[in-house]
Amino acid sequence: MQQPRNIDPLFVAVESDVIRRADVAGLIAGRLAAVRVPGLLPAARCHAITAALADAPMDRYDESRVFPVVAKFGPAINDHRDAGQLREDYWDAARAAEKSWSTLDLPDTPRDLCLAAFQAAWPDVAPGRRHRREMHVGIVREINAGLQVHFDDAVREYAGRLLDSEVVAQLAFNIYIRVPPAGGETVLWRRRWQPDDEDLRIPGGYGFHESVAADVQSLTLRPTLGEGFLFDPRHYHTVRPATDGRRISIGCFVGLTDDGRLALWS
Ligand SMILES: O=C(O)CCC(=O)C(=O)O
Ligand SMILES: [Fe+2]
């Protein structure tokens, strides 16, 4: 896609060997567009998880809304949302996922991996709480056919609060545990939702026609195995289809709450 003539020098990705507090803060402040952490999870651990997952029942996002299909393991809040509220069946799906994961004989859960990624940078990190219950953390997704261009913003999507504490900023985090040899790029545009964008919504879908971000400055990430990727999901983003092979990630949302803690959820 054509890049605009004038470029925002702050809309850049930084690369680091660990998640750093200054980079999390920089993303939230808008001083950065994305943080890449190559090799966050060693290749052997990625392989062990994807091998074990071959025996785990994956399900799919609600196909009436999420097309092309996306296979997943574990609940996604947006599949359990009604009129800006989180439905009760979210908690049943969370329990079922935890139980099913425990049969895989792996040392870590998706929750452990997500929490561990932030622990050193931000010791005050924990699963978010809703009505005092701990949210599920860590969704495994197989996004082979790509995503619709969309944004994620719990403040807009959940009329009441999603969490018991006020989320003042939200980030999206993914670790890529299997990457395709071609395709599967994540694209991030320097544009947030505006009311007129509703004209470009894909009927029945969760996203927008790509023209919503036409001629907007963008960043393209080609995920590498074990890489961690952190960005502000209020910026429109998408995943390109993998033209060959499979693209599997473990991810969660990360909220900065008004008490300065990080709260995770999926
Ligand atoms: O898989 C990715 O790179 C991004 C997926 C996504 O839409 C998100 O994490 O919000
Ligand atoms: Fe997203």
Side-chain angles (χ1 to χ4, degrees):
M1 188 179 303
Q2 207 177 329
Q3 288 284 345
R5 216 161 35 88
N6 296 309
I7 293 289
D8 176 358
L10 299 188
F11 196 77
V12 291
V14 296
E15 204 174 294
S16 176
D17 51 353
V18 288
I19 292 178
R20 280 196 276 250
R21 190 177 183 95
D23 290 340
V24 174
L27 266 179
I28 290 168
R31 201 176 300 121
L32 290 173
V35 178
R36 303 184 65 157
V37 186
L40 178 66
L41 199 63
R45 293 180 67 193
C46 296
H47 296 320
I49 299 169
T50 51
L53 278 170
D55 302 322
M58 300 268 280
D59 59 2
R60 293 171 157 193
Y61 276 84
D62 176 357
E63 287 169 69
S64 68
R65 191 177 61 83
V66 177
F67 45 88
V69 297
V70 174
K72 67 176 181 67
F73 184 102
I77 49 164
N78 293 336
D79 254 4
H80 299 270
R81 186 178 71 215
D82 247 341
Q85 294 291 334
L86 189 66
R87 289 195 315 260
E88 219 27 56
D89 54 13
Y90 169 83
W91 304 103
D92 307 327
R95 265 193 302 272
E98 281 148 25
K99 194 167 166 203
S100 177
W101 190 276
S102 70
T103 66
L104 295 183
D105 208 25
L106 288 166
D108 306 291
T109 63
R111 177 184 192 271
D112 298 332
L113 295 171
C114 290
L115 285 166
F118 290 92
Q119 199 85 58
W122 216 290
D124 255 348
V125 60
R129 283 173 179 273
R130 176 177 174 83
H131 305 159
R132 300 215 194 96
R133 279 149 115 181
E134 272 195 1
M135 297 289 288
H136 182 77
V137 175
I139 182 169
V140 182
R141 291 184 285 191
E142 178 158 358
I143 309 175
N144 296 336
L147 294 182
Q148 296 171 17
V149 174
H150 70 282
F151 67 89
D152 305 288
D153 183 356
V155 169
R156 246 177 227 298
E157 291 158 341
Y158 291 82
R161 285 178 182 168
L162 176 65
L163 303 184
D164 296 339
S165 39
E166 184 79 64
V167 171
V168 297
Q170 177 179 343
L171 301 176
F173 175 61
N174 289 286
I175 306 171
Y176 304 99
I177 59 169
R178 181 155 176 167
V179 294
E185 298 89 353
T186 305
V187 184
L188 190 62
W189 284 275
R190 188 187 168 281
R191 188 176 200 280
R192 294 179 183 172
W193 179 85
Q194 298 182 25
D196 283 349
D197 294 352
E198 289 304 310
D199 298 341
L200 293 172
R201 216 177 242 289
I202 295 172
Y206 62 97
F208 298 80
H209 292 289
E210 190 158 334
S211 56
V212 77
D215 303 324
V216 172
Q217 185 179 339
S218 65
L219 272 180
T220 298
L221 159 94
R222 169 158 245 315
T224 57
L225 188 67
E227 177 167 2
F229 187 56
L230 193 60
F231 64 98
D232 181 339
R234 284 180 302 175
H235 287 128
Y236 280 110
H237 54 282
T238 194
V239 172
R240 300 297 186 201
T243 45
D244 183 20
R246 302 170 69 186
R247 181 192 194 276
I248 307 178
S249 59
I250 296 179
C252 66
F253 289 117
V254 180
L256 173 69
T257 55
D258 63 355
D259 52 7
R261 297 168 196 253
L262 292 186
L264 310 187
W265 72 90
S266 296

